[in-house]
């Protein structure tokens, strides 16, 4: 099944008037009928059918099992109008996570808006790696470029005794992370900082999923990403390596002697990032890890 993160939306230039009018005027409609209409609309306008189920489940706070159980439930006029508008927004190219103002990451629901990236399923592998490597109850960690807080707050939720600091260069993104911490009832420290510029002290674990896309790669990117996800969180100078370079330069001042750095990388950046840290820290253990698709996706640096 296509994930919430990998759906590609194409803009629609026209809507079949009769279908649209009938759907708005229906006095009674159950969930199955609403879904059937939306599937037809999606097929006509280049949308993934999985987006329709996502919109229903997200709006009603259901999972797929609940959707199947409630097929024959009546959709109120109010609920259907919201659903209709959401379908229309997705047809215009807005990612469904922004339409719903939420995204699922590590089985938890995070508030998102266009100040933050939509959490990707690949990033869950990075969290899994950290948790596997660090089974202990006590640790201090720093999440650089936290965005919605998906990585840092997930670590805090999975390891309640860990002490976490979540930082971002965007004050708007940091407010989203704070909102998610409150929603999830998690405590963490938040810091407005460009990488390490406003960070004091050293940490057992540092993690970052920074901007790593080169400007030259824009032409290969999905239109919905370029138009709606924050540029500040997507692109970096020096062929996408600028933030890794800044982390590398200042890492020794902020990572404890037995600590570990975990990075998400672009699938073509593995060699460059590994060589960067091996050159800067010859005695460190630098490990490159692939994702489930076999692409280079993560790097760990252990002192």
């Amino acid at each position: 099944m296509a994930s919430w993160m990998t759906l590609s939306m194409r803009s629609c230039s026209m809507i079949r008037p009769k279908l649209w009018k009938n759907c708005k005027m229906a006095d009674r409609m159950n969930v199955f009928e609403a879904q059937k209409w939306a599937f037809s609309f999606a097929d006509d306008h280049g949308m993934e059918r999985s987006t329709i189920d996502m919109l229903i489940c997200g709006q009603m706070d259901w999972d797929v099992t609940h959707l199947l159980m409630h097929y024959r439930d009546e959709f109120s006029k109010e609920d259907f109008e919201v659903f209709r508008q959401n379908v229309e927004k997705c047809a215009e190219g807005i990612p469904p996570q922004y339409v719903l103002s939420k995204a699922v990451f590590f089985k938890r629901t995070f508030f998102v808006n266009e100040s933050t990236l939509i959490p990707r399923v690949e990033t869950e592998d990075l969290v899994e790696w950290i948790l596997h490597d660090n089974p202990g109850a006590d640790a201090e960690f720093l999440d650089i470029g936290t965005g919605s807080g998906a990585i840092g707050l997930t670590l805090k939720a999975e390891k309640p005794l860990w002490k976490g600091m979540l930082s971002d260069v965007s004050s708007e993104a940091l407010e989203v992370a704070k909102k998610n911490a409150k929603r999830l009832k998690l405590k963490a420290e938040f810091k407005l900082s460009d990488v390490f510029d406003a960070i004091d002290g050293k940490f057992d674990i540092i993690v970052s999923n920074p901007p790593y896309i080169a400007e030259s790669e824009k032409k290969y990117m999905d239109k919905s990403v370029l138009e709606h996800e924050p540029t500040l969180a997507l692109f970096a100078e020096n062929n996408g390596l600028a933030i890794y370079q800044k982390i590398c330069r200042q890492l020794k001042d902020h990572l404890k002697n037995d600590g570990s750095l975990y990075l998400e990388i672009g699938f073509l950046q593995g060699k460059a990032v590994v060589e960067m840290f091996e050159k800067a820290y010859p005695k460190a253990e630098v490990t490159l890890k692939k994702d489930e698709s076999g692409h280079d996706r993560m790097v760990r640096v252990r002192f």
Side-chain angles (χ1 to χ4, degrees), residues 142-147 165-175 178 189-201 203 206-208 210-211 232 243 246-247 250 254:
L142 169 65
D143 177 13
I144 297 173
T146 193
M165 178 182 290
L166 282 59
S167 73
D168 205 290
V169 70
S170 164
S171 59
E172 292 83 4
L174 213 57
E175 288 304 312
K178 290 177 181 178
E189 185 176 355
F190 298 89
K191 184 74 70 170
L192 184 65
S193 180
D194 184 357
V195 187
F196 293 115
D197 289 356
I199 305 297
D200 296 320
F203 301 85
I206 298 175
V207 58
S208 185
L232 184 64
I243 308 303
K246 187 165 185 176
I247 290 173
Q250 302 178 56
H254 296 282

Side-chain angles (χ1 to χ4, degrees), residues 142 144 195-196 199-204 206 244-261 276-277 279-285 301-303:
L142 169 65
I144 297 173
V195 187
F196 293 115
I199 305 297
D200 296 320
K202 292 191 174 186
F203 301 85
D204 301 291
I206 298 175
Y244 301 118
Q245 292 167 338
K246 187 165 185 176
I247 290 173
C248 187
R249 286 194 299 269
Q250 302 178 56
L251 182 62
K252 192 66 177 178
D253 295 329
H254 296 282
L255 188 64
K256 294 180 181 179
N257 289 334
D258 57 349
S260 298
L261 167 71
M276 179 193 310
F277 283 92
K279 182 177 180 180
Y281 305 103
K283 295 183 179 180
E285 175 193 304
V301 181
R302 277 180 164 173
F303 280 0

Side-chain angles (χ1 to χ4, degrees), residues 23 25 38 55 176 216 275:
C23 141
M25 293 176 63
L55 291 174
V176 173
S216 61
E275 289 180 351

Side-chain angles (χ1 to χ4, degrees), residues 16 22 71 132 136 152 173 200 232 276 287:
R16 286 195 296 180
N22 288 345
Y71 263 156
H132 179 270
D200 296 320
L232 184 64
M276 179 193 310
T287 304

Side-chain angles (χ1 to χ4, degrees), residues 62-85:
W62 294 340
D63 57 22
V64 176
T65 301
H66 284 94
L67 173 59
L68 295 173
M69 292 171 59
H70 291 280
Y71 263 156
R72 301 301 173 185
D73 288 6
E74 184 175 333
F75 228 16
S76 70
K77 281 190 175 182
E78 293 78 10
D79 284 339
F80 181 76
E81 180 60 19
V82 171
F83 176 60
R84 184 192 66 78
Q85 292 176 12

Side-chain angles (χ1 to χ4, degrees), residues 129-148:
W129 198 11
I130 296 170
L131 294 172
H132 179 270
D133 281 355
N134 301 274
D138 297 320
E140 293 183 74
F141 71 87
L142 169 65
D143 177 13
I144 297 173
T146 193
S148 65

Side-chain angles (χ1 to χ4, degrees), residues 10-244:
R10 294 204 298 263
S11 297
C12 82
S13 58
M14 62 179 291
I15 298 170
R16 286 195 296 180
K18 183 177 180 181
L19 177 62
W20 200 244
K21 182 179 179 182
N22 288 345
C23 141
K24 288 195 294 182
M25 293 176 63
D27 291 327
R28 298 174 66 87
M29 181 178 289
N30 62 31
V31 172
F32 177 76
E33 290 167 336
Q35 182 199 51
K36 185 178 179 181
W37 161 77
F39 278 170
S40 178
F41 178 81
D43 293 343
D44 285 348
H45 297 91
M47 294 170 58
E48 299 280 352
R49 283 192 171 198
S50 57
T51 302
I52 301 304
D53 287 348
M54 186 192 312
L55 291 174
I56 297 174
C57 290
Q59 179 180 335
M60 306 304 291
D61 288 325
W62 294 340
D63 57 22
V64 176
T65 301
H66 284 94
L67 173 59
L68 295 173
M69 292 171 59
H70 291 280
Y71 263 156
R72 301 301 173 185
D73 288 6
E74 184 175 333
F75 228 16
S76 70
K77 281 190 175 182
E78 293 78 10
D79 284 339
F80 181 76
E81 180 60 19
V82 171
F83 176 60
R84 184 192 66 78
Q85 292 176 12
N86 288 346
V87 171
E88 182 178 25
K89 290 175 184 176
C90 286
E92 292 170 352
I94 303 175
Q97 295 89 339
Y98 290 147
V99 171
L100 295 166
S101 297
K102 58 185 176 182
V104 174
F105 183 83
F106 226 81
K107 298 182 180 180
R108 295 181 179 88
T109 300
F110 287 80
F111 168 77
V112 294
N113 62 23
E114 293 191 9
S115 297
T116 67
L117 289 183
I118 298 166
R120 265 66 177 179
V121 68
E122 294 87 351
T123 306
E124 294 186 359
D125 294 339
L126 186 66
V127 174
E128 292 271 15
W129 198 11
I130 296 170
L131 294 172
H132 179 270
D133 281 355
N134 301 274
D138 297 320
E140 293 183 74
F141 71 87
L142 169 65
D143 177 13
I144 297 173
T146 193
S148 65
I151 293 176
L153 294 176
T154 298
L155 291 175
K156 184 64 180 174
E158 296 292 320
K159 293 286 188 177
L161 297 181
W162 284 11
K163 184 178 179 181
M165 178 182 290
L166 282 59
S167 73
D168 205 290
V169 70
S170 164
S171 59
E172 292 83 4
L174 213 57
E175 288 304 312
V176 173
K178 290 177 181 178
K179 183 172 183 176
N180 279 318
K182 185 176 181 179
R183 285 160 56 102
L184 295 169
K185 299 180 180 180
L186 298 169
K187 291 184 179 180
E189 185 176 355
F190 298 89
K191 184 74 70 170
L192 184 65
S193 180
D194 184 357
V195 187
F196 293 115
D197 289 356
I199 305 297
D200 296 320
K202 292 191 174 186
F203 301 85
D204 301 291
I205 299 165
I206 298 175
V207 58
S208 185
N209 178 18
Y212 57 68
I213 301 173
E215 289 285 337
S216 61
E217 295 179 284
K218 275 187 176 181
K219 58 187 176 183
Y220 304 114
M221 296 179 65
D222 189 89
K223 183 180 178 182
S224 67
V225 174
L226 290 173
E227 291 185 348
H228 297 283
E229 300 201 49
T231 299
L232 184 64
L234 290 170
F235 299 100
E237 297 178 349
N238 299 343
N239 292 319
L241 297 173
I243 308 303
Y244 301 118

